[in-house]
Structure formats: C-alpha cells, structure tokens
C-alpha cells in the first residue's frame, strides 16, 4: 500500500441492547446517536457522564410493526427542545418521534412497500421506497409523490447544493430539483458489489474505490476527506483519495457506517451491536474490551472455518490422540490452534504419526452439503425478510441459475419479483461471474437482463461483459504522507552547513526564510482546513530557489515539501503559474536530479512530486505535453534496488496510463505500456510495483488504444507468469489480462 498520512481507527466502545441486527444509524450530535434494528425498535444513545468514551441507552422508541431501517434527525426547536427523529420501516410507514418523551408525533402512511430512505429537504421530509416512488411530506401530510425509477428506489439524500439524489436497483442515480429529474447517472453495471464511485454533479466519475467482496450497503464522507463504507463482507472500509487505508472487521454484515463530526465512526452490525471507532488518544477502549472484541472476531471466524469439510470448532483437541487407533493407517483429524491436522495410526510403533495440515479444496468444496437427501455443490442460507425463517437454497455448478431460482421460488411459494435477486445471489456466491444473459428480457424487479427458461435462444443474445477484478484503473494515486519534522530538521541542518561555508553562504536561507518554511509546514499539516488556507507567492518562490540553488545532495527535503504543496489546492494553483511563466522550471529540476551522479533520495522525491501533480487537473496538459521527456528521464528506475523508488515509478506509470487513456493519446499510451511491461518482466520487481504495472497494462489494453501492441509484445506470457505467482493480487490481475487477451 502507498504511503498515506493516516492514523489507524481502534475500538472506542460498543452499544449493546438491540435483540437483532442493527440496520441504521443517525448521528444527531456527537453526544447523541440513534440506531434502528430488525428488532422493530429504535434506541437513542447518549454520551456517558462518567466515562466520555462510552454511550448508554437513554431511550427506546417503540411503534413500528416490522424492522426499522433509515433514520434522519430534525434539529431542536422551541416545541421540540431535544429535536425529532424520522424513521422508515419494512411496515411501509414513516414515523416522526419527539425525542423528549419518545412518542410518535406524526405517522406518515402512503408507501405501498418497504421504506428504504428518509431525508430532510428544508422543513419537508422526503422518503424513498421499494414501490419505486419518492414522496414528499409537509406538516404530516403527503404533498407530492412521483415514480422516480423503474425499479425499487434504495436510497434518497439531500445534497448540500440543494438537490435531491436517489439511487435504485435499476443501477442508476438520479438528480432531482423538486419532481424534475435534472440528470441520470449511469455507470454501475449491477447492484453495488465491491465498487464505490465518487461522482461529480456533472455526471463525471471522479474516483472508483474497489475493495469490498460483497454488496456495499452504506457510504458516508467526513470533512477531512475520509470515506467509510459498510458491506455484507463483514468489513467497514476507510478510504482516502480512492485508496482503502483500513478495514474494520466485524462479526457479521455491516449494514451502516457513519462519521461523527469528530471523525469517529459508528458501525451497525448484524450481530445486534453498534460500535464506535476512534483515532483519538484517550478515547480508545480499555485493552480488556479490545481483547474481548478480538476474541469475538476469532471465535466467529473459527465457527465458520472448515477443514476437510468439517467445522474447525467441532474437531477434537490433541487429547484425542491419547486413545490408541484400532487399525494400521486409521486417520484422525484434530484441532491444533486454528488449523486441522491429520494423524495416521502406526500399529507397529503404537503411535499416531502426523500426516500434515488439512485444507479444503478450491471454493470451500471439501464436503458437498446434503439437503433433503440429495448432495449439492452449494446449499445457501437465504434470509427473505422480517419474521420469515431462513430458507435453504440448493445449487449445483452445472445448473442454469435461472432454472434453479424459478424452481426454488415455486417450491417456497415466493413471488417471482425475487427472481433476479436470487439469480444475482447465486452467481455472486458460486463464483460464476461470466454467465451469459439474454438481453431481450427485462426483469420486473431489478430491470436487469435475464434469460427466460423455456424460450428459444435469440440470435441477438450476447455474453455479458466480462467482469475484471482490478482493471480498468479509475482515478489517480498519490503519495500524501510526510515526515514534516524530519524535513524541517534536514533543511535546517543543510542550511547551517551552507551558512558556515564561505563559498556557499549566499545560497543559504535567512532567518526570516527559515521561519517561513516553518509556516509552510504548519499550513500543510492542517489538512482539514486546506479549503480555507492560502500561501504567499513568495513561499513557492522560496522553495523553488532552494531547489535550484542548493547542491544536489541537499535538494531532497525541499523537493519533498513541493510534493506535499501540490496536494494543497492553493499551493498547486500558485505553482502552476510559476510553471506557465517558466515552462522549463520543472524540467530543469528533473534534469538536475537525473544527471550522472543521480542520488536515490532526489529521484524518489522528484518522481513522487510528478505522481502528485496528477491530482490537480491544472497540471494535466503539462504532464501530457512532456510525458516523453519525463518517462525517458526516469526509465532506469524500473530496475532500481530501492523498493520505494520502484513503487514511485510504477505509480507514475499507472497515473500516466489513466491520464493518457482519458486524452486518447495513442503514442503516449504506447510509451507507458512499454515501460510498464519492463517492470512486469523484471524478476526482482517489488510485488506492489509489479501489481501497479500490471494494472496499468490491463487498463491500457481494455480502455486505451494499444491492445494489439501489447499482444505483439507477448503480454500473454506476462499474464501467464503472473497467474503462477504466490501473491493473490498478482494472480488476479494476471487473470484479468489473460481474460482480456481472449476477448474479441
């Protein structure tokens, strides 16, 4: 993972009280949190008076007749001094609660199916539903209702700019001004499973964040720029600039995740517990609580782990080996730590001989489950909804998933509206991602294409687009962690050296300039106020003067400050003016650091500056215009023994791939491809460097103009080599490229 200035989140406290899945979270204030649950209740939690780390339940709100999902808070007023809470439920109602006494003050009825979202639009409440509508409520009355999508509406949100935005099972987002649709955002190919997209209101995809392995249920953003997402894969993931910087593992599905204003995170889990996570010293839970949570995660994973088709926690311990075997070669599997180990009875020696660790076969098919006397590749647990028992869904890999779904729905007497959902569930959980669909049929529930059993195949039928795990790359990567104290120390040390040398005194900084460097660092450290802080033009000029005047061995701390400066909006805007006034400014720096006696520290910091320039569109024209000179200057970095330099160079190539694909620059793409292939072929290349070069290759082949060139360069052998790697992500991107080669 790249360098990122990020403190790890740790458990702060647990909110225990719900009897079933915690489904929704509403942050009323940093001192009051509301949670909704499948147990039909809402709980309000208030900050403890004794221990400021903890929250305790202050109210339980009873009124819904089915599980409760989305929540929104209304600010306090004279009539409601503690504010109000809005909730939506599977029971189709929207309720408004008085937080002083916990009573319902308005019951908003009008939706025909489950309420999936609630948001405030000035004094109005807007709700979304599986019935495909958005409804506007004013003073307890329905004032507007409109069909927003052709499929269930899964969420609705009020944007800071004033518009409403809705998301649907039809894979689109829609921007609304009143009942008028201003724009439809298309791009997601299916229900969000693993990828999160950051959109501009213009409809442009700014970033795609890929990392979850199952359905993503919630996303929230903080003023610091961090994003948190919750998923069925049991993780809340924290993202910075499109990169996952931490995964918080849970003992169940993470239904919701929200930031407090402080930056702390609240998560809602299917184990019935909400948890608060923090990076703040003094707010972290006691070690005993952290150990208890870690133990809970371990127990949960062990309860699900199987070895040789047997549940690990059901295996006997080592004491089972005290009993002698009954025949020579008899085998016994016992639990040793977190593994199952097989032993064979040696009759002549009267002892158990260790054979080795037992593992499941691929896809966990060490044993084939049995249902109603028949054996299957899979027997899935399916949770239909509130109050309904868990159903068993059998499936064999050789089955048509639509046939399997239809038979099962008929057997369970369930509506055909669930059909596409069940098919998606089967495909996702059986690993069949490349199933071919008939595009002539539109499923009524999700609007997705589907094959209709019993009908003849159509000539127009085409396979679904292949699903790639790591390509194409969306957005750019940056290096945004800095050891500011170390940078200042080095610059001061070098400056003192120059000042004490009569031949170089004129190159040293004055006391005022040294003080100014300290002020620059202070601004750069305060990332939460980047939108409101500014530099003086003399700050940029000072750093550039140091880089140009100081000897090569002393340049790197100042270059490193420029690397961080370009991530500051105002700093970048000032630097681009200097570059426009003197087009050779950065090229001169590149020339200086890549001369014969090139120092690794200078190469590393300069490549990282170039990587970070991609973050600001103002530099894109300059980067494209000079791509050939830049890539030529650093072309030897691919074989550097310095792993950090290798990684910086491969990141430069990956960012160039993203930019030149967007610019449709075939000549530039070919040069990046050639450089990336060098890294991919380099046996000693660092794993992360190789991975980024392979992602660049795959992205250029998929969305660029150089697929044929890549095939001519024998990219097939590179893909084959990657697929035999011991590193999972190298194998995966190798498989992406291999699949891409075979596409027409």
């Amino acid at each position: 993972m790249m360098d990122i200035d990020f403190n790890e989140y740790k458990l702060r406290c647990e909110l225990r009280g719900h009897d079933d899945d915690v489904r929704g979270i509403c942050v009323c204030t940093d001192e009051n949190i509301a949670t909704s649950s499948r147990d039909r209740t809402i709980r309000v939690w208030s900050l403890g008076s004794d221990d400021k780390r903890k929250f305790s339940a202050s109210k339980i709100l009873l009124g819904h007749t089915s599980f409760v999902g989305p929540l929104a808070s209304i600010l306090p007023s004279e009539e409601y001094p503690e504010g109000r809470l809005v909730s939506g439920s599977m029971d189709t109602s929207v309720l408004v609660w008085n937080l002083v006494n916990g009573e319902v003050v308005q019951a908003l009825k009008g939706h025909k199916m489950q309420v999936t979202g609630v948001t405030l639009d000035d004094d109005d409440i807007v709700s979304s539903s599986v019935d495909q509508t958005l409804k506007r409520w004013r003073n307890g009355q329905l004032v507007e209702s409109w069909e927003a999508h052709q499929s269930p509406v899964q969420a609705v949100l009020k944007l800071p700019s004033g518009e409403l935005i809705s998301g649907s099972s039809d894979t689109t987002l829609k921007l609304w001004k009143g009942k008028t649709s201003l724009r439809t955002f298309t791009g997601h190919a299916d229900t969000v499973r693993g990828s999160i997209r950051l959109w501009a209101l213009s409809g442009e995809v700014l970033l795609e964040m890929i990392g979850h392995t199952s359905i993503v249920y919630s996303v929230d953003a903080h003023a610091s720029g961090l994003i948190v997402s919750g998923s069925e894969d049991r993780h809340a993931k924290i993202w910075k600039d499109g990169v996952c910087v931490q995964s918080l593992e849970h003992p169940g599905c993470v239904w919701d995740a929200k930031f407090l204003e402080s930056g702390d995170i609240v998560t809602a889990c299917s184990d019935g517990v909400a948890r608060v996570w923090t990076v703040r010293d003094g707010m972290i839970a006691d070690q005993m609580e952290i150990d208890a949570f870690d133990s809970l995660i371990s127990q949960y994973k062990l309860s699900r782990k199987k070895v040789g088709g047997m549940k690990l926690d059901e295996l006997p311990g080592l004491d089972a080996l005290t009993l002698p075997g009954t025949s020579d070669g008899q085998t016994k599997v016992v639990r040793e730590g977190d593994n199952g180990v097989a032993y064979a009875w040696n009759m002549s020696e009267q002892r158990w001989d260790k054979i080795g660790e037992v593992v499941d076969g691929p896809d966990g098919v060490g044993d084939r489950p049995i249902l109603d006397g028949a054996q299957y590749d899979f027997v899935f647990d399916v949770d239909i909804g509130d109050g309904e028992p868990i159903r068993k869904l059998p499936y064999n890999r050789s089955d048509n998933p639509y046939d399997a779904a239809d038979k099962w729905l008929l057997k369970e007497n369930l509506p055909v509206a669930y059909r596409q959902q069940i098919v998606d569930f089967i495909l996702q959980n059986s690993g069949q991602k490349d199933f071919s669909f008939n595009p002539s049929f539109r499923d009524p529930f999700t609007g997705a294409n589907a094959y209709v059993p019993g009908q003849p195949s159509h000539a127009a039928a085409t396979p679904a687009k292949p699903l790639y795990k790591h390509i194409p790359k969306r957005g750019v990567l940056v290096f945004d962690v800095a050891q500011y104290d170390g940078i200042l120390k080095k610059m001061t040390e070098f400056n003192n050296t120059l000042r004490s040398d009569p031949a170089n005194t004129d190159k040293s900084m004055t006391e005022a300039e040294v003080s100014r460097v300290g002020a620059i660092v202070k601004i750069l450290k305060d990332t939460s106020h980047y939108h409101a802080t500014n530099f003086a033009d003399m700050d940029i000029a000072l750093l550039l003067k140091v880089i140009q005047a100081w000897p090569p061995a002393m340049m790197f701390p100042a270059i490193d400050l420029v690397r961080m400066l370009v991530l500051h909006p105002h700093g970048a805007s000032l630097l681009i003016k200097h570059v426009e006034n003197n087009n050779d400014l950065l090229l001169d720096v590149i020339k200086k650091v890549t001369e014969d006696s090139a120092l690794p520290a200078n190469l590393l910091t300069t490549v990282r500056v170039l990587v970070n320039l991609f973050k600001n569109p103002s530099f894109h024209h300059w980067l494209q215009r000079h791509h050939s000179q830049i890539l030529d200057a650093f072309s030897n970095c691919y074989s550097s023994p310095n792993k950090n330099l290798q990684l910086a160079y491969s990141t430069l190539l990956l960012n160039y791939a993203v930019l030149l694909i967007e610019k449709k620059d075939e000549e530039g793409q070919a040069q990046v491809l050639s450089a990336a292939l060098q890294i991919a072929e380099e046996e000693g290349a660092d794993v992360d460097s190789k991975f980024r070069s392979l992602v660049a290759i795959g992205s250029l082949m998929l969305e660029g103009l150089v697929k044929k060139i890549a095939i001519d360069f024998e990219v097939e052998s590179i893909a084959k080599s990657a697929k035999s790697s011991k590193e999972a992500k190298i194998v995966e991107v190798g498989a992406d490229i291999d699949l891409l080669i075979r596409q027409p």
Side-chain angles (χ1 to χ4, degrees), residues 488 492 495 499 509-519 542:
L488 279 175
T492 305
N495 194 58
R499 189 179 294 169
M509 294 186 289
T510 65
E511 287 300 328
E513 288 174 330
V514 172
S515 173
R516 195 58 219 166
V517 171
L542 172 61

Side-chain angles (χ1 to χ4, degrees), residues 29 119 136 155 173 187 198 210 292 342 359 369 380 482 540 554 608 631 742:
T29 67
T119 193
R136 180 180 295 275
L173 305 173
L198 177 64
I210 297 174
V359 296
F380 300 119
I540 314 298
M554 297 181 174
R608 286 177 166 183
L631 295 177
R742 291 185 277 111

